Amino acid sequence: MSDLVEFAHKNLNNIPACPDYDLMISGKPYDSYTKVLLEKRLVARELVTDYGTIRFKDYDFDLEKHQNARYEYLSKIFGKIEKDVYIEAPFFVDYGCNIKAGKGFYCNFNTTFLDCSIITFGDNVLIGPNVTFSAATHPVDPQERLEVVDLSYPITVGDNVWFGANAVVVAGVTIGDGAVIAAGAVVTKDVPAYTVVGGVPARVLKTLAPPTNTTEKVQETEQ
């Protein structure tokens, strides 16, 4: 059993049980049209569509009740999230169950998660509108595409990372703590901690000073 498969089975909720799921999250060729996986995707997409119907007025305009309802609903979709999660509707997933997010996780409108492999977020991650995380990929060689059904590789995001509008993160990328992904950036390689990256493909534009202690780090994210 690969490390990713062991992680998923021990830490994520709502995962489908079938051999192709384990192949999928392990970076091995798999059949995305296996009945169990296809059904899981269809159900997940209907769930995220219905998330937008959780109305504030239906909870007496009570912020706590409304947030609790949203969290309980999102818990049916995601692999693991915290109670302070805040996601604007609409958003989109392939499976949802392959996403793990830490505290203070915020997504603006139209976030897309192609979570064919595991996508993990640390604490205090902020995601601007129209950002895409694509763990899904295909072989570049056309002959291999005829022989291989699908491939996917994990995406890992550290603490206190900010993604600007319309950024794209591709399969297999790791983003370090405190990084800033500029609007419109296409991230194809790992991003060092405490850097600003931008462009297509994204490159390091600036190096940032890390917070000197936890208190300063928290204060920075609240500004």
Side-chain angles (χ1 to χ4, degrees):
M1 180 180 291
S2 74
D3 291 344
L4 284 171
V5 172
E6 183 176 6
F7 173 86
H9 284 270
K10 286 185 176 180
N11 295 280
L12 302 180
N13 301 312
N14 309 310
I15 63 174
C18 70
D20 273 291
Y21 172 77
D22 291 349
L23 292 172
M24 176 177 74
I25 65 172
S26 300
K28 298 177 180 178
Y30 72 99
D31 183 359
S32 64
Y33 287 95
T34 298
K35 183 174 183 289
V36 173
L37 294 183
L38 180 57
E39 289 177 345
K40 178 65 176 177
R41 290 198 303 276
L42 292 173
V43 169
R45 290 167 189 179
E46 291 187 3
L47 285 172
V48 298
T49 298
D50 292 343
Y51 172 70
T53 66
I54 301 175
R55 304 289 296 276
F56 190 29
K57 68 178 183 179
D58 293 336
Y59 294 88
D60 303 319
F61 299 101
D62 185 303
L63 285 171
E64 184 175 357
K65 290 180 180 178
H66 183 246
Q67 174 62 13
N68 287 340
R70 286 161 63 106
Y71 165 73
E72 292 298 330
Y73 195 90
L74 290 171
S75 296
K76 301 174 185 177
I77 301 170
F78 287 93
K80 187 173 182 181
I81 54 171
E82 302 294 330
K83 288 189 175 182
D84 63 352
V85 62
Y86 201 95
I87 299 180
E88 304 285 5
F91 72 96
F92 309 95
V93 301
D94 251 348
Y95 296 91
C97 61
N98 291 327
I99 302 165
K100 178 181 180 292
K103 296 177 181 178
F105 185 65
Y106 174 79
C107 289
N108 215 314
F109 302 105
N110 292 313
T111 304
T112 297
F113 306 93
L114 301 184
D115 59 311
C116 302
S117 189
I118 308 301
I119 303 178
T120 57
F121 298 94
D123 294 338
N124 303 312
V125 172
L126 304 175
I127 299 173
N130 304 308
V131 175
T132 297
F133 299 91
S134 180
T137 188
H138 301 279
V140 174
D141 184 271
Q143 182 60 41
E144 289 184 14
R145 287 200 300 275
L146 293 176
E147 298 170 358
V148 176
V149 180
D150 281 300
L151 291 169
S152 59
Y153 301 105
I155 294 172
T156 304
V157 178
D159 295 338
N160 196 18
V161 177
W162 172 27
F163 295 87
N166 297 297
V168 176
V169 181
V170 304
V173 165
T174 295
I175 298 175
D177 291 350
V180 176
I181 313 302
V186 178
V187 183
T188 61
K189 296 181 180 179
D190 290 354
V191 175
Y194 303 106
T195 59
V196 178
V197 301
V200 182
R203 60 185 180 84
V204 175
L205 304 176
K206 182 179 181 180
T207 299
L208 305 170
T212 56
N213 57 52
T214 303
T215 301
E216 289 183 15
K217 187 173 183 179
V218 171
Q219 289 174 344
E220 180 182 278
T221 62
E222 291 177 343
Q223 291 177 355

